[in-house]
Amino acid sequence: IESNILDIVNSFKLLPVEERIIECLDQKDLPNVISGGITFLTSVNPDKMKALIYFMFYTGLRANEITHLKRKDIDLKELTAIVRLPSKSNNERHVFFPPKTSEIVGKYFEIEAEGENAFNVNYAQIRYIIKKLNQYLIGSKKLTPHSLRHGFTQMLAEDEVSVRVAQRLLGHKNMNSTLRYYNP
């Protein structure tokens, strides 16, 4: 490269990139959110709501992934689930969850038969439940379907789980998506 071209390129000033702090729920917030929902959200089965929120938080699944999950893909004894999304590549990934989540989800599965998917919800219903729960969340944190995923990712980072492992669990194609949580 000629030096005059290099000088021109180096003279460009890049616009500053705003670093956003990702505000997310953590484990200690979940019981308060659930208890508020059970108390005030009477239009949704409380066991279903609790199972859905715990499963989304402790697996880091996107709302769209929840709507494609079948019960045959969830192993409550092995504490794993296989996430399959309809696509050309037919990619699958395994996620894991703690025993308490297995217990909560198992209780819900006992009282409601599987319909179209494991939790019998569509994307709009997930958003409705989250919107209603958000009304009972005290503090500055805003609850969204994706904030549950952010909370899971933040938990992985705080527990010093390898970035590569977190990337695989989350299904991120680009590691930079995962690194946002590891370099606050």
Side-chain angles (χ1 to χ4, degrees):
I1 299 177
E2 294 178 24
S3 64
N4 63 339
I5 294 175
L6 195 54
D7 290 337
I8 293 171
V9 170
N10 286 332
S11 70
F12 290 125
K13 296 204 188 261
L14 297 175
L15 295 173
V17 176
E18 238 182 83
E19 289 286 327
R20 264 188 2 190
I21 296 174
I22 299 170
E23 191 71 33
C24 55
L25 293 178
D26 56 30
Q27 295 178 65
K28 69 179 181 343
D29 295 322
L30 284 180
N32 294 333
V33 171
I34 298 298
S35 66
I38 289 171
T39 304
F40 300 106
L41 186 59
T42 57
S43 61
V44 177
N45 176 322
D47 292 315
K48 177 180 195 162
M49 178 202 47
K50 186 175 182 179
L52 180 65
I53 298 303
Y54 269 85
F55 197 81
M56 287 179 73
F57 182 86
Y58 284 106
T59 60
L61 292 183
R62 298 171 181 98
N64 183 43
E65 293 168 333
I66 291 288
T67 63
H68 287 90
L69 195 63
K70 303 290 184 195
R71 289 192 185 172
K72 68 181 174 84
D73 298 327
I74 300 172
D75 189 334
L76 296 174
K77 287 183 177 57
E78 294 296 321
L79 308 174
T80 64
I82 300 172
V83 181
R84 299 179 174 101
L85 283 179
S87 67
K88 287 188 251 178
S89 62
N90 289 328
N91 288 339
E92 294 181 355
R93 77 177 194 275
H94 291 264
V95 294
F96 306 91
F97 46 90
K100 181 176 181 178
T101 301
S102 176
E103 181 184 318
I104 292 167
V105 171
K107 182 178 176 187
Y108 163 65
F109 285 178
E110 288 174 6
I111 60 172
E112 189 172 298
E114 180 175 25
E116 199 152 316
N117 57 43
F119 292 93
N120 299 323
V121 292
N122 60 37
Y123 187 77
Q125 290 167 328
I126 292 172
R127 294 204 43 90
Y128 171 79
I129 291 169
I130 298 291
K131 178 183 175 187
K132 289 297 186 183
L133 287 175
N134 205 32
Q135 295 173 355
Y136 312 112
L137 184 62
I138 298 169
S140 63
K141 296 178 183 176
K142 183 173 178 182
L143 183 62
T144 65
H146 220 70
S147 68
L148 296 168
R149 181 173 168 84
H150 290 308
F152 172 72
T153 310
Q154 192 68 45
M155 182 178 65
L156 294 177
E158 289 170 1
D159 290 345
E160 298 179 7
V161 172
S162 159
V163 176
R164 291 262 183 222
V165 170
Q167 179 186 11
R168 297 273 315 228
L169 289 173
L170 294 161
H172 286 157
K173 290 182 177 145
N174 186 332
M175 186 175 292
N176 288 331
S177 299
T178 311
L179 282 172
R180 295 184 322 171
Y181 301 93
Y182 281 75
N183 300 316

